[in-house]
């Protein structure tokens, strides 16, 4: 029987998954068969989830965080919208978000039957605050901004968006699914410490180097997360706020282990190395005459002709394109300078061939 090779990351350049930290891998193995959704039975993993939550709070500037370890950014975003909708108890709810938002928002709007109002971004790929202000109304339950966009690694003006949300009587959500473990080491204003943000997505299974699945959802106010809870009559714990029932103990334990190991110095080192890689790659691509988007975070987008893109994929490079067609290279922790050099060397061969 043909068996699939284990995941090899050497040529993976456009994914937001990465090689888990060894401590995360080890912790995951120990908790494979546990369920944090039943904390009264699986008490050890429930305690680790508390640890994970306090690390996430520390990273995002929230001293008493409410929330839980989700299956990923999609569940976190769905739940943030659900919480805002339930909290508002409005008849005809809408959510306002920039067009740079991740496609999980479309799923959320569909599942929750909430109107999603998408507004344009500015020339720098950031949410246009004036357009957001135009779009909100009395039925807006949530305004969302992205801190580290999926396509261009941009950070929306979170303090300004938060002011617009609160003026409209809505809650403010920040999607830092990808950027959350990078932004603490930058000057960006993105966190609970920079603005009275109400909820945030931050995923340990992306830049946090935990195993999949481990997302993160945080709330400032307990009453908002409580609006997600349903009664669990036959369990020893009284209620459950998560979307899924049984959850991955491996994901939770690995998230706690990765953050214990890496916060803050390990994450800072990775950020510095990968930002340098992204800046270097940007310069190299520009030197070859490609139009590229300056990397604000470790993510480079560049216009590469379709033929070259396809040939690179045929050579085994795992790369993808933005909606507008740019090649995107996400400098995740596993992406080495050596691998980027090999990539450019293949690109050079294609150009001269
Ligand atoms: N929010 C943002 C800003 C994201 O970039 C993503 C995922 C999500 C939410 C959703 O997170 P989950 O996928 O954990 O639910 N962005 C990645 C992307 O679309 C997802 C991904 C990851 C795609 C690994 C491919 C891949 O190999 O690029």
């Amino acid at each position: 029987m043909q068996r699939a090779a284990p995941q090899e990351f050497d040529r993976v350049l456009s994914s937001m998954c990465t090689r888990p930290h060894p401590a995360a891998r080890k912790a995951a193995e120990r908790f494979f068969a546990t369920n944090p959704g039943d904390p009264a039975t699986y008490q050890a993993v429930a305690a680790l989830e508390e640890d994970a939550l306090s690390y996430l709070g520390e990273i995002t500037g929230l001293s008493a965080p409410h929330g839980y370890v989700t299956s990923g950014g999609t569940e976190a975003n769905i739940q943030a919208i659900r919480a805002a909708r339930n909290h508002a108890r409005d008849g005809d709810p809408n959510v306002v978000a920039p067009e740079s938002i991740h496609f999980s928002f479309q799923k959320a709007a569909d599942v929750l039957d909430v109107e999603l109002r998408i507004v344009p971004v500015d020339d720098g790929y950031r949410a246009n605050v004036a357009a957001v202000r135009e779009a909100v109304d009395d039925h807006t339950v949530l305004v969302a901004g992205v801190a580290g966009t999926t396509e261009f690694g941009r950070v929306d003006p979170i303090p300004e968006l938060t002011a617009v949300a609160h003026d409209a009587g809505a809650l403010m959500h920040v999607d830092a699914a990808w950027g959350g473990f990078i932004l603490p080491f930058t000057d960006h204003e993105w966190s609970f410490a920079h603005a009275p943000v109400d909820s945030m997505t931050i995923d340990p299974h992306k830049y946090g180097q935990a195993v999949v699945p481990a997302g993160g959802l945080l709330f400032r106010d307990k009453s908002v997360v409580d609006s997600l809870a349903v009664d669990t009559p036959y369990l020893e714990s009284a209620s459950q706020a998560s979307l899924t029932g049984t959850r991955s103990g491996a994901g939770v334990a690995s998230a706690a282990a990765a953050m214990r190991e890496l916060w803050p110095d390990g994450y800072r080192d990775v950020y510095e190395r990968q930002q340098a890689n992204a800046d270097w790659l940007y310069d190299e691509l520009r030197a070859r005459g490609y139009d590229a988007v300056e990397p604000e975070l470790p993510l480079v987008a560049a216009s590469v002709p379709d033929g070259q893109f396809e040939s690179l994929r045929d050579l085994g490079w795992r790369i993808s394109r933005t909606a507008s067609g740019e090649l995107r290279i996400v400098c995740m922790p596993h992406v080495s300078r050596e691998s980027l050099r090999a990539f450019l060397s293949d690109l050079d061969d294609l150009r001269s061939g």
Side-chain angles (χ1 to χ4, degrees):
M1 192 175 81
Q2 189 83 11
R3 285 200 172 81
Q7 183 61 59
E8 231 341 300
F9 276 103
D10 287 351
R11 293 191 164 223
V12 176
L13 297 185
S14 294
S15 180
M16 287 189 173
C17 297
T18 196
R19 201 176 280 131
H21 188 280
R25 190 186 290 266
K26 209 166 133 213
E29 279 173 11
R30 292 186 54 217
F31 286 89
F32 268 147
T34 64
N35 172 21
D38 180 2
T41 302
Y42 299 99
Q43 295 176 0
V45 82
L48 289 175
E49 183 161 29
E50 290 303 312
D51 290 353
L53 212 59
S54 24
Y55 277 116
L56 289 171
E58 207 175 309
I59 293 168
T60 61
L62 189 60
S63 57
H66 304 282
Y68 70 99
V69 175
T70 66
S71 56
T74 299
E75 180 185 343
N77 287 337
I78 291 173
Q79 289 279 82
I81 296 178
R82 181 173 161 227
R85 184 200 65 177
N86 291 358
H87 188 67
R89 304 256 171 243
D90 183 280
D92 187 17
N94 70 70
V95 170
V96 177
E99 59 184 318
S100 53
I101 212 85
H102 185 258
F103 55 73
S104 47
F105 276 75
Q106 310 281 357
K107 298 182 187 178
D110 187 28
V111 170
L112 296 166
D113 199 19
V114 165
E115 182 197 349
L116 182 58
R117 296 186 177 172
I118 298 289
V119 303
V121 292
D122 63 19
D123 293 346
Y125 309 100
R126 291 177 195 84
N128 180 326
V129 178
V132 171
R133 193 178 292 116
E134 282 274 292
V136 296
D137 63 19
D138 291 348
H139 298 289
T140 304
V141 296
L142 189 76
V143 171
V146 194
T149 59
T150 311
E151 293 195 318
F152 297 106
R154 284 330 198 228
V155 182
D156 286 332
I158 301 302
E160 291 81 355
L161 292 175
T162 305
V164 171
H166 290 173
D167 284 351
L171 298 179
M172 176 68 199
H173 177 69
V174 174
D175 184 353
W178 178 70
F181 288 88
I182 304 169
L183 288 160
F185 313 109
T186 70
D187 294 334
H188 288 285
E189 299 201 316
W190 66 286
S191 75
F192 289 104
H194 300 110
V197 166
D198 298 287
S199 60
M200 186 175 295
T201 296
I202 168 173
D203 288 352
H205 75 194
K206 294 189 170 69
Y207 235 92
Q209 299 178 51
V211 308
V212 176
L217 176 60
L218 302 176
F219 292 93
R220 183 187 290 278
D221 187 351
K222 186 166 182 300
S223 70
V224 182
V225 65
D226 283 350
S227 75
L228 291 171
V230 298
D231 294 341
T232 50
Y234 53 86
L235 294 183
E236 280 308 302
S237 43
S239 70
Q240 196 176 78
S242 57
L243 184 58
T244 59
T246 302
R247 290 188 289 134
S248 172
V252 167
S254 78
M259 290 186 278
R260 189 181 314 118
E261 201 72 23
L262 294 166
W263 171 256
D265 296 342
Y267 290 130
R268 183 189 295 106
D269 290 348
V270 172
Y271 157 68
E272 285 172 356
R273 187 171 72 239
Q274 295 309 337
Q275 188 63 46
N277 276 335
D279 293 340
W280 176 83
L281 179 65
Y282 169 76
D283 288 342
E284 292 289 327
L285 288 167
R286 297 246 304 177
R288 287 164 175 78
Y290 293 104
D291 233 353
V293 179
E294 208 175 339
E296 209 166 86
L297 296 179
L299 193 164
V300 183
S303 301
V304 169
D306 286 351
Q308 290 177 12
F309 179 88
E310 299 301 342
S311 302
L312 288 164
R313 279 204 59 96
D314 291 344
L315 287 169
W317 293 104
R318 303 299 187 227
I319 48 178
S320 71
R321 277 173 287 198
T322 64
S324 44
E326 289 96 347
L327 159 74
R328 52 193 275 282
I329 304 281
V330 189
C331 294
M332 292 301 291
H334 66 271
V335 173
S336 66
R337 183 68 64 96
E338 191 189 352
S339 156
L340 293 174
R341 277 189 212 284
F343 175 76
L344 285 175
S345 156
D346 280 354
L347 184 60
D348 288 339
D349 289 348
L350 290 171
R351 284 149 49 85
S352 62

